[in-house]
Amino acid sequence: MTSTSDRSAERPADTGGAPAEESPQVLRTADTPDAAPEHLPTTTLPPSYPPVRRAASPEPRARTSQAPVERRRRGRSVLSALVAVVAVLVVTALIKTFVIQWFEIPSASMEDTLAVGDRVAVWMWGADDLERGDVVVFRDPDHWLTVTEPTGLRAAVQDLLILMHQLPEDTGHILIKRVIGLPGDHVVADGSGTLSVNGVVLDESYVKVGRSASDVAFDVVVPEGFIWVMGDNRSNSADSRYHQDDAHGGFVPMTDVIGEGAAVVWPVSSWAGLGDGTHAFDLVPEPGRAPDPARPEPEEGA
């Protein structure tokens, strides 16, 4: 067994810092090859590996590249929606202008055929093919209605809807009645509940129950280009009978006719067509030259 003193004895003597030949040569990290002594042996160092560089996460770049794509997609979606809305408005405007329009009944003048609040579909054919008994929508010919025009925002909205053909022109100045006389027809009421056209007394099933054909007496010949109209609720309809002192004599110019009533479309419980009224005139002949209204002979001595 070797003691500590023996080990000390085995160490080489200090020669002033010079390394002994038997000592292994170590290249310290502070030394450099240029500064190392020439007599130092070559030391084999482990191979140098470059640091591993990981690719940057692609997510931010992907987001950056996808952002314009997403914006373009949103832009196309908004544009498609606008085009769809415009297309719907254009198609609706064309249909309402040239095919069919909906009107709301504002009064009781057409009861029981039409009630207040009913929505009526109206063919926009004008007056070219009208028949006696048709229900027609027409513009106020000579201040038949007393209407308070809207103002402010409501007026602006109404004007915009009219401009877009979503509402008819002259909104608020439109009436709905039944055609009783066409051009040339001789229409007479005796004031006692009897109404005749061209000499034929009418049986009008559409007149409101409990109302007579007319409590107002009149005798008229419908001029060319005009029609004579009356409401089905005869005792509550300010129709042609009550405007004989107006500019048109109570007749409605055919140029003011907007269209022919087709059916009640709302409410669902009131669904019904409006074409049955023509049957009341099946026996009425075509108009001839209507005689002047009969006048009583003056009494002798009068």
Side-chain angles (χ1 to χ4, degrees):
M1 184 173 182
T2 305
S3 62
T4 305
S5 59
D6 294 337
R7 291 177 183 172
S8 301
E10 291 177 0
R11 292 177 182 175
D14 187 5
T15 58
E21 293 180 359
E22 295 83 359
S23 300
Q25 302 300 317
V26 179
L27 183 62
R28 297 188 301 274
T29 57
D31 296 333
T32 62
D34 295 336
E38 294 180 358
H39 63 275
L40 290 176
T42 304
T43 302
T44 303
L45 298 177
S48 176
Y49 295 97
V52 178
R53 295 184 179 181
R54 297 181 179 179
S57 176
E59 294 183 359
R61 183 176 300 176
R63 290 174 184 172
T64 302
S65 61
Q66 289 178 358
V69 175
E70 293 296 331
R71 286 196 295 269
R72 287 195 295 271
R73 287 177 180 173
R74 286 196 295 269
R76 285 196 294 267
S77 298
V78 172
L79 182 60
S80 298
L82 289 175
V83 170
V85 170
V86 172
V88 170
L89 290 176
V90 169
V91 172
T92 303
L94 292 174
I95 291 174
K96 288 187 174 183
T97 302
F98 300 106
V99 183
I100 197 167
Q101 174 71 278
W102 284 262
F103 293 87
E104 183 175 354
I105 303 303
S107 72
S109 66
M110 284 294 291
E111 290 181 349
D112 290 324
T113 305
L114 301 173
V116 176
D118 282 354
R119 296 273 182 168
V120 178
V122 176
W123 295 116
M124 307 299 285
W125 305 141
D128 295 337
D129 299 319
L130 286 182
E131 298 182 36
R132 304 179 194 92
D134 283 341
V135 175
V136 293
V137 172
F138 57 95
R139 301 177 189 87
D140 188 341
D142 191 19
H143 305 290
W144 288 21
L145 298 173
T146 301
V147 179
T148 301
E149 296 290 348
T151 58
L153 180 60
R154 185 177 178 184
V157 172
Q158 177 175 294
D159 291 342
L160 178 61
L161 293 176
I162 292 174
L163 181 65
M164 297 169 63
H165 293 271
Q166 301 305 306
L167 286 178
E169 294 183 8
D170 301 311
T171 295
H173 299 270
I174 295 175
L175 299 98
I176 184 167
K177 304 291 180 185
R178 191 178 297 275
V179 177
I180 302 299
L182 292 175
D185 283 342
H186 184 199
V187 186
V188 179
D190 60 9
S192 300
T194 300
L195 179 67
S196 67
V197 177
N198 297 337
V200 175
V201 176
L202 302 179
D203 180 13
E204 301 176 284
S205 61
Y206 45 75
V207 172
K208 183 177 176 67
V209 176
R211 304 292 190 267
S212 66
S214 180
D215 294 330
V216 177
F218 62 88
D219 189 326
V220 297
V221 176
V222 184
E224 191 66 29
F226 292 84
I227 55 177
W228 181 269
V229 297
M230 298 170 66
D232 290 353
N233 188 359
R234 297 289 163 83
S235 62
N236 189 21
S237 177
D239 46 42
S240 292
R241 296 170 294 167
Y242 295 93
H243 296 277
Q244 298 183 61
D245 294 330
D246 292 352
H248 302 298
F251 303 105
V252 176
M254 298 181 75
T255 54
D256 286 336
V257 174
I258 295 173
E260 175 191 342
V264 179
V265 295
W266 188 262
V268 176
S269 58
S270 298
W271 279 1
L274 298 177
D276 293 340
T278 58
H279 297 310
F281 299 84
D282 286 345
L283 301 178
V284 174
E286 290 303 310
R289 183 175 179 81
D292 294 332
R295 297 182 180 181
E297 295 292 335
E299 297 180 2
E300 295 183 3

